[in-house]
Amino acid sequence: RKLGMEAWLYDEDRWPSGSGGGIVTADKRYRMKYLEMRESTNGKLRNPPGTRLARFIAKVDGCTATNVRRLRSGERPRLHQGETFLDFYVREAPKSSWYNGETYLDTMDHASVKAFISSTHQEYRRRFGKDFGGTIPGMFTDEPNHGGYFNEMQWTSRGKSVPWTTKLPSVFQSRYRYDVLDHLPELFLDVDGDGVTPARHNFHDCTTFLFADAFGRQIGEWCDRNEMIHTG
């Protein structure tokens, strides 16, 4: 202030922004989640990773699946030659020293991002609010994201994974008027050789919408109300 310089704030201790240095994700409600696909020929998994969301049968060859069909609760069919079970589980991102022993944030969940704002943005305002819009023009966010794809982030040692959040099925249903749970194999495999199905496109559109609305919009609106620039 004495030198007439600006002091921009940063919203995290490392990156990506969102966990509040692990303070926010110490509450498991706010931890990042992902959907994992597991394949098996007998329908039984050693150490299943949680509650199964859905089960399918398909013939899988590399990245392509044919004769895909969803099994309903209690249904016990036999596999035909070359077929496999596809089981889908929602998992929580594992804890990491990078997040001070916690996990990254569920940036597609509005309540999780509100908790991040409360722990970080609100605390900055409590301490330095009189300089907002003046000496402190804004706050920088660094590489927030809504998850890695196909195990590239190494969140899971087996299977394949895509980003997930608890409210995704209901938001998906509201936006596209059908059940994403009926199409989960299409998020991982080219069903009948089709790499651009409506379900796959809608899934990416839905996760992008949720991330932009929960993280970008909420933080942007908070910065607007507090005469701050939101950049990153």
Side-chain angles (χ1 to χ4, degrees):
R1 190 185 301 114
K2 290 178 181 178
L3 295 174
M5 298 175 68
E6 296 177 347
W8 285 73
L9 302 178
Y10 179 45
D11 64 4
E12 193 55 76
D13 69 332
R14 297 184 183 91
W15 74 89
S17 299
S19 71
I23 294 172
V24 180
T25 50
D27 187 328
K28 66 182 304 180
R29 295 176 297 172
Y30 305 140
R31 295 172 184 169
M32 173 169 273
K33 301 167 185 65
Y34 59 88
L35 182 71
E36 182 177 299
M37 182 181 76
R38 292 280 190 92
E39 299 181 37
S40 65
T41 55
N42 59 7
K44 298 179 181 180
L45 295 175
R46 292 182 180 178
N47 303 317
T51 303
R52 189 172 62 217
L53 192 63
R55 166 173 276 187
F56 292 76
I57 286 179
K59 186 173 183 179
V60 178
D61 182 10
C63 294
T64 299
T66 55
N67 197 24
V68 178
R69 54 203 186 275
R70 183 179 179 185
L71 302 181
R72 301 301 171 179
S73 179
E75 190 176 351
R76 298 177 179 274
R78 291 183 178 180
L79 296 181
H80 298 124
Q81 186 174 359
E83 289 186 329
T84 184
F85 288 101
L86 301 177
D87 290 316
F88 295 86
Y89 296 89
V90 176
R91 302 193 65 183
E92 184 181 282
K95 295 183 178 182
S96 167
S97 60
W98 187 256
Y99 303 109
N100 300 317
E102 296 300 338
T103 77
Y104 188 47
L105 185 76
D106 184 351
T107 57
M108 294 188 287
D109 177 65
H110 291 74
S112 300
V113 177
K114 284 180 181 178
F116 172 55
I117 292 171
S118 178
S119 73
T120 302
H121 300 66
Q122 292 288 111
E123 285 298 311
Y124 270 134
R125 186 176 72 171
R126 185 171 68 85
R127 290 167 169 79
F128 311 113
K130 64 183 178 64
D131 286 311
F132 279 15
T135 301
I136 302 176
M139 194 180 308
F140 180 83
T141 191
D142 195 11
E143 300 187 7
N145 64 85
H146 61 286
Y149 287 85
F150 306 118
N151 201 23
E152 67 177 27
M153 300 291 283
Q154 296 183 340
W155 283 333
T156 173
S157 59
R158 301 186 213 169
K160 300 176 180 179
S161 63
V162 296
W164 195 260
T165 188
T166 302
K167 293 183 179 179
L168 193 149
S170 62
V171 173
F172 191 100
Q173 178 77 47
S174 176
R175 286 173 66 84
Y176 313 109
R177 303 301 180 187
Y178 65 96
D179 189 357
V180 68
L181 300 186
D182 289 334
H183 299 267
L184 295 183
E186 295 171 46
L187 309 184
F188 298 82
L189 301 164
D190 295 343
V191 174
D192 297 326
D194 191 351
V196 193
T197 67
R200 182 178 288 186
H201 177 273
N202 292 157
F203 175 79
H204 291 293
D205 182 66
C206 191
T207 56
T208 302
F209 162 75
L210 284 167
F211 172 60
D213 194 61
F215 195 93
R217 180 185 62 77
Q218 287 195 117
I219 294 177
E221 288 178 352
W222 185 93
C223 287
D224 283 345
R225 290 194 301 270
N226 289 276
E227 301 181 10
M228 293 277 279
I229 297 169
H230 178 215
T231 188

